[in-house]
Amino acid sequence: MADTESFIAFYREEAEFVLMFLTRRTFDAETAVELTAETFAQAWRGWRKVRTDSREEMRAWLLTIARRQLAHFLRKGRSQRTAVTRLGMSMPLAHEDDLVAIERAAGLDGARALLGDALEGLNSDQRDAVKMRVVEDLPYDEVARRLGVSEPTARARVSRGLRALQGALAATAVGEWSV
């Protein structure tokens, strides 16, 4: 029972932090809610093994799980949901008002504006490549075909564009944005 109680306390202390962390990276509150649920479901599965003597280490462990969930989402375009399913949990349903509140708390309006400005600041080759690959979710061979370049060139343009966007956003990041 102590394990359950300590996990619930940990969840209460860290859930909002993880939700904001994921919302600021997905730019979508509903996706962030799903990823947060899966993060904590995975955390529960490994809770007996985690060292609970340092809050910093526990948060780092939790953020590692959250980053893995985010990486899977970015690769596959969907939440993994494996631990949630195995534990027999249901996905939380967020009301539209809750989603708006989450996005407001995460500062997404400002972040979207910064991202839009940074995207417009890219040269047209990089901007077009990034939009096709990330926004339209086209495979690299299709991006290359549409741009009239080789696939390695298309990959390089996307990579350079994303690095430039990351740099532009990092230069304006404050507080938890840099986590």
Side-chain angles (χ1 to χ4, degrees), residues 73-86:
F73 170 78
L74 293 174
R75 277 192 312 275
K76 303 292 184 183
R78 58 182 164 76
S79 174
Q80 196 169 354
R81 296 186 189 184
T82 56
V84 168
T85 302
R86 283 188 191 134

PDB file of all heavy atoms in Angstrom, residues 73-86:
ATOM      1  N   PHE A  73       5.645   8.891 -30.320  1.00  0.00           N
ATOM      2  CA  PHE A  73       4.548   9.628 -30.949  1.00  0.00           C
ATOM      3  C   PHE A  73       5.036  10.335 -32.218  1.00  0.00           C
ATOM      4  O   PHE A  73       4.374  10.310 -33.256  1.00  0.00           O
ATOM      5  CB  PHE A  73       3.950  10.648 -29.973  1.00  0.00           C
ATOM      6  CG  PHE A  73       2.984  11.582 -30.635  1.00  0.00           C
ATOM      7  CD1 PHE A  73       1.690  11.165 -30.922  1.00  0.00           C
ATOM      8  CD2 PHE A  73       3.362  12.865 -30.986  1.00  0.00           C
ATOM      9  CE1 PHE A  73       0.792  12.015 -31.552  1.00  0.00           C
ATOM     10  CE2 PHE A  73       2.479  13.717 -31.607  1.00  0.00           C
ATOM     11  CZ  PHE A  73       1.188  13.300 -31.896  1.00  0.00           C
ATOM     12  N   LEU A  74       6.194  10.962 -32.140  1.00  0.00           N
ATOM     13  CA  LEU A  74       6.713  11.689 -33.295  1.00  0.00           C
ATOM     14  C   LEU A  74       7.078  10.738 -34.437  1.00  0.00           C
ATOM     15  O   LEU A  74       6.928  11.083 -35.602  1.00  0.00           O
ATOM     16  CB  LEU A  74       7.918  12.540 -32.890  1.00  0.00           C
ATOM     17  CG  LEU A  74       7.592  13.691 -31.934  1.00  0.00           C
ATOM     18  CD1 LEU A  74       8.878  14.370 -31.476  1.00  0.00           C
ATOM     19  CD2 LEU A  74       6.634  14.689 -32.566  1.00  0.00           C
ATOM     20  N   ARG A  75       7.562   9.537 -34.104  1.00  0.00           N
ATOM     21  CA  ARG A  75       7.880   8.552 -35.138  1.00  0.00           C
ATOM     22  C   ARG A  75       6.624   7.943 -35.749  1.00  0.00           C
ATOM     23  O   ARG A  75       6.527   7.762 -36.953  1.00  0.00           O
ATOM     24  CB  ARG A  75       8.744   7.419 -34.560  1.00  0.00           C
ATOM     25  CG  ARG A  75      10.209   7.710 -34.483  1.00  0.00           C
ATOM     26  CD  ARG A  75      11.018   6.449 -34.190  1.00  0.00           C
ATOM     27  NE  ARG A  75      10.502   5.641 -33.100  1.00  0.00           N
ATOM     28  CZ  ARG A  75      10.761   5.819 -31.803  1.00  0.00           C
ATOM     29  NH1 ARG A  75      11.536   6.803 -31.426  1.00  0.00           N
ATOM     30  NH2 ARG A  75      10.264   5.008 -30.890  1.00  0.00           N
ATOM     31  N   LYS A  76       5.665   7.604 -34.905  1.00  0.00           N
ATOM     32  CA  LYS A  76       4.499   6.848 -35.356  1.00  0.00           C
ATOM     33  C   LYS A  76       3.256   7.706 -35.587  1.00  0.00           C
ATOM     34  O   LYS A  76       2.305   7.253 -36.211  1.00  0.00           O
ATOM     35  CB  LYS A  76       4.131   5.760 -34.333  1.00  0.00           C
ATOM     36  CG  LYS A  76       5.253   4.799 -34.041  1.00  0.00           C
ATOM     37  CD  LYS A  76       5.563   3.933 -35.229  1.00  0.00           C
ATOM     38  CE  LYS A  76       6.625   2.916 -34.842  1.00  0.00           C
ATOM     39  NZ  LYS A  76       7.043   2.089 -35.921  1.00  0.00           N
ATOM     40  N   GLY A  77       3.252   8.921 -35.057  1.00  0.00           N
ATOM     41  CA  GLY A  77       2.093   9.781 -35.236  1.00  0.00           C
ATOM     42  C   GLY A  77       0.913   9.423 -34.350  1.00  0.00           C
ATOM     43  O   GLY A  77      -0.203   9.852 -34.575  1.00  0.00           O
ATOM     44  N   ARG A  78       1.168   8.633 -33.312  1.00  0.00           N
ATOM     45  CA  ARG A  78       0.092   8.260 -32.392  1.00  0.00           C
ATOM     46  C   ARG A  78       0.701   7.881 -31.048  1.00  0.00           C
ATOM     47  O   ARG A  78       1.874   7.523 -30.958  1.00  0.00           O
ATOM     48  CB  ARG A  78      -0.735   7.109 -32.936  1.00  0.00           C
ATOM     49  CG  ARG A  78       0.051   5.858 -33.227  1.00  0.00           C
ATOM     50  CD  ARG A  78      -0.816   4.747 -33.821  1.00  0.00           C
ATOM     51  NE  ARG A  78      -0.010   3.723 -34.426  1.00  0.00           N
ATOM     52  CZ  ARG A  78       0.672   2.795 -33.764  1.00  0.00           C
ATOM     53  NH1 ARG A  78       0.642   2.775 -32.464  1.00  0.00           N
ATOM     54  NH2 ARG A  78       1.382   1.891 -34.394  1.00  0.00           N
ATOM     55  N   SER A  79      -0.117   7.938 -30.024  1.00  0.00           N
ATOM     56  CA  SER A  79       0.310   7.557 -28.687  1.00  0.00           C
ATOM     57  C   SER A  79       0.485   6.044 -28.627  1.00  0.00           C
ATOM     58  O   SER A  79      -0.264   5.302 -29.258  1.00  0.00           O
ATOM     59  CB  SER A  79      -0.744   8.009 -27.671  1.00  0.00           C
ATOM     60  OG  SER A  79      -0.428   7.548 -26.391  1.00  0.00           O
ATOM     61  N   GLN A  80       1.462   5.588 -27.872  1.00  0.00           N
ATOM     62  CA  GLN A  80       1.763   4.167 -27.804  1.00  0.00           C
ATOM     63  C   GLN A  80       0.686   3.390 -27.047  1.00  0.00           C
ATOM     64  O   GLN A  80       0.248   2.338 -27.494  1.00  0.00           O
ATOM     65  CB  GLN A  80       3.119   3.967 -27.134  1.00  0.00           C
ATOM     66  CG  GLN A  80       3.700   2.610 -27.345  1.00  0.00           C
ATOM     67  CD  GLN A  80       5.146   2.560 -26.899  1.00  0.00           C
ATOM     68  OE1 GLN A  80       5.741   3.551 -26.545  1.00  0.00           O
ATOM     69  NE2 GLN A  80       5.708   1.392 -26.925  1.00  0.00           N
ATOM     70  N   ARG A  81       0.278   3.856 -25.885  1.00  0.00           N
ATOM     71  CA  ARG A  81      -0.794   3.289 -25.070  1.00  0.00           C
ATOM     72  C   ARG A  81      -0.564   1.860 -24.594  1.00  0.00           C
ATOM     73  O   ARG A  81      -1.493   1.203 -24.178  1.00  0.00           O
ATOM     74  CB  ARG A  81      -2.135   3.355 -25.796  1.00  0.00           C
ATOM     75  CG  ARG A  81      -2.611   4.735 -26.071  1.00  0.00           C
ATOM     76  CD  ARG A  81      -4.002   4.695 -26.649  1.00  0.00           C
ATOM     77  NE  ARG A  81      -4.375   6.019 -27.122  1.00  0.00           N
ATOM     78  CZ  ARG A  81      -5.551   6.306 -27.593  1.00  0.00           C
ATOM     79  NH1 ARG A  81      -6.467   5.379 -27.666  1.00  0.00           N
ATOM     80  NH2 ARG A  81      -5.824   7.517 -28.002  1.00  0.00           N
ATOM     81  N   THR A  82       0.640   1.338 -24.641  1.00  0.00           N
ATOM     82  CA  THR A  82       0.858  -0.055 -24.244  1.00  0.00           C
ATOM     83  C   THR A  82       0.666  -0.263 -22.751  1.00  0.00           C
ATOM     84  O   THR A  82       0.000  -1.211 -22.344  1.00  0.00           O
ATOM     85  CB  THR A  82       2.256  -0.556 -24.659  1.00  0.00           C
ATOM     86  OG1 THR A  82       3.236   0.321 -24.110  1.00  0.00           O
ATOM     87  CG2 THR A  82       2.395  -0.627 -26.154  1.00  0.00           C
ATOM     88  N   ALA A  83       1.240   0.583 -21.920  1.00  0.00           N
ATOM     89  CA  ALA A  83       1.105   0.396 -20.473  1.00  0.00           C
ATOM     90  C   ALA A  83      -0.321   0.676 -20.038  1.00  0.00           C
ATOM     91  O   ALA A  83      -0.851  -0.027 -19.173  1.00  0.00           O
ATOM     92  CB  ALA A  83       2.085   1.287 -19.718  1.00  0.00           C
ATOM     93  N   VAL A  84      -0.948   1.683 -20.618  1.00  0.00           N
ATOM     94  CA  VAL A  84      -2.341   1.987 -20.285  1.00  0.00           C
ATOM     95  C   VAL A  84      -3.212   0.766 -20.575  1.00  0.00           C
ATOM     96  O   VAL A  84      -4.034   0.361 -19.758  1.00  0.00           O
ATOM     97  CB  VAL A  84      -2.835   3.216 -21.077  1.00  0.00           C
ATOM     98  CG1 VAL A  84      -4.343   3.374 -20.964  1.00  0.00           C
ATOM     99  CG2 VAL A  84      -2.143   4.480 -20.583  1.00  0.00           C
ATOM    100  N   THR A  85      -2.996   0.147 -21.719  1.00  0.00           N
ATOM    101  CA  THR A  85      -3.775  -1.030 -22.103  1.00  0.00           C
ATOM    102  C   THR A  85      -3.481  -2.202 -21.172  1.00  0.00           C
ATOM    103  O   THR A  85      -4.397  -2.863 -20.686  1.00  0.00           O
ATOM    104  CB  THR A  85      -3.470  -1.417 -23.562  1.00  0.00           C
ATOM    105  OG1 THR A  85      -3.769  -0.298 -24.398  1.00  0.00           O
ATOM    106  CG2 THR A  85      -4.282  -2.609 -23.996  1.00  0.00           C
ATOM    107  N   ARG A  86      -2.207  -2.473 -20.910  1.00  0.00           N
ATOM    108  CA  ARG A  86      -1.827  -3.602 -20.048  1.00  0.00           C
ATOM    109  C   ARG A  86      -2.371  -3.457 -18.636  1.00  0.00           C
ATOM    110  O   ARG A  86      -2.706  -4.445 -17.986  1.00  0.00           O
ATOM    111  CB  ARG A  86      -0.309  -3.744 -19.992  1.00  0.00           C
ATOM    112  CG  ARG A  86       0.260  -4.372 -21.209  1.00  0.00           C
ATOM    113  CD  ARG A  86       1.740  -4.661 -21.030  1.00  0.00           C
ATOM    114  NE  ARG A  86       2.299  -5.033 -22.311  1.00  0.00           N
ATOM    115  CZ  ARG A  86       3.432  -4.553 -22.798  1.00  0.00           C
ATOM    116  NH1 ARG A  86       4.152  -3.714 -22.101  1.00  0.00           N
ATOM    117  NH2 ARG A  86       3.868  -4.931 -23.974  1.00  0.00           N
TER     118      ARG A  86
END
